[in-house]
């Protein structure tokens, strides 16, 4: 188990492809938040879905982070090796009535405005012949929480309609479960991530509560978009980072985070750049970028 740390942050990429500029910006922001506050910084590979993950991606991501001088303070954690912890969490949620088995297809749910035609929440097991998912049972709630940079957040959580999948029908554990279980296990106090995950936070808060754990602080940074205004991602063909130019990439990432690095750093080493960035890190400057 982890000891108690005042600040423990992490970067948690899903290895669907090599690191691109947008993911470097997220990694760097979480690293600088942690380091500028004297905290620890961890890396977790969220390799939950082998069907979407080319086998080479994890190695590429870790090499890329190394090339950019972003070294974690503890060994990298792989979600693919955490099955038993996820099983235990699901058993707990099933036994406390906060999870249920559901064999509804996406089509059925869509046709029924997100309501479950078989009243899955009320029956204790899904009909045995059909494959089933396990979903989290949300409570209806007007959820309020404080983002470290965006300020007060309000989310309307709708029971049943929004219930997230925890274990997919295909047998893979889902992001909403694994991210909470692992942030708890790793003693993460502060999550820095892209604002594309903002809407997930209210649901995650309920999962923390159901697992009787203290939630972390959240800080959502603006996502980097391409010229068409789309989030940089593998789906949108974001190019892989060029690991041969790490100082330039870090310089550009700092610029995207509105940190105004001096041009002279471009000729320096990765270490010089990170040292400058840590000493001059201004969380509030990120806010200048629109969401
Ligand atoms: N694995 C998620 C992603 O790559 C990030 C999870 C998180 O930071 O909460 O989008």
């Amino acid at each position: 188990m982890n000891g108690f740390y005042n600040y423990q942050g992490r970067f948690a990429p899903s290895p669907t492809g090599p690191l691109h500029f947008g993911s470097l910006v997220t990694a760097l922001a979480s690293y600088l938040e942690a380091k500028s506050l004297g905290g620890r910084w961890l890396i977790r590979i969220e390799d939950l879905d082998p069907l979407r993950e080319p086998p080479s991606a994890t190695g590429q991501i870790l090499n890329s982070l190394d090339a950019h001088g972003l070294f974690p303070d503890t060994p990298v954690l792989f979600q693919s090796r955490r099955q038993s912890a996820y099983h235990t969490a699901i058993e707990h949620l099933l036994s406390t009535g906060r999870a249920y088995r559901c064999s509804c297809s996406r089509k059925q749910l869509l046709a029924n405005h997100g309501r479950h035609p078989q009243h899955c929440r009320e029956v204790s097991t899904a009909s045995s012949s059909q494959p089933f998912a396990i979903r989290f049972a949300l409570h209806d709630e007007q959820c309020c929480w404080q983002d470290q940079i965006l300020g007060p957040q309000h989310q309307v959580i709708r029971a049943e309609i929004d219930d997230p999948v925890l274990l997919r029908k295909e047998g893979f554990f889902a992001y909403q479960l694994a991210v909470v279980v692992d942030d708890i296990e790793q003693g993460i106090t502060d999550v820095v991530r892209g604002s594309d995950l903002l809407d997930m936070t209210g649901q995650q808060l309920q999962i923390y509560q159901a697992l009787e754990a203290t939630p972390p602080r959240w800080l959502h940074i603006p996502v980097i978009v391409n010229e068409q205004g789309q989030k940089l991602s593998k789906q949108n063909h974001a190019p892989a980072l060029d690991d041969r130019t790490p100082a330039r990439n870090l310089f550009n990432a700092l610029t995207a985070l509105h940190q105004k690095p001096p041009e002279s750093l471009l000729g320096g080493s990765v270490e010089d750049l990170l040292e400058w960035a840590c000493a001059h890190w201004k969380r509030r400057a990120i806010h200048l970028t629109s969401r």
Side-chain angles (χ1 to χ4, degrees), residues 10 12-14 46 175 179 193 197:
R10 50 60 163 188
S14 306
E46 302 211 316
Y175 161 71
V179 72
R193 61 185 181 189
L197 293 168

Side-chain angles (χ1 to χ4, degrees), residues 10-15 26 44 46 175 179 183 191-194 196-197 204 231:
R10 50 60 163 188
F11 174 56
S14 306
T26 306
R44 182 170 73 231
E46 302 211 316
Y175 161 71
V179 72
D183 280 339
V191 169
V192 176
R193 61 185 181 189
D196 53 322
L197 293 168
Q204 288 171 11
K231 182 196 166 197

Side-chain angles (χ1 to χ4, degrees), residues 48 79 82-90 173 177-178 181-182:
L48 288 171
Q79 291 195 323
R82 300 267 305 140
Q83 312 282 324
S84 73
Y86 306 145
H87 263 300
T88 307
I90 286 196
F173 291 100
L177 175 79
V181 170
D182 286 342

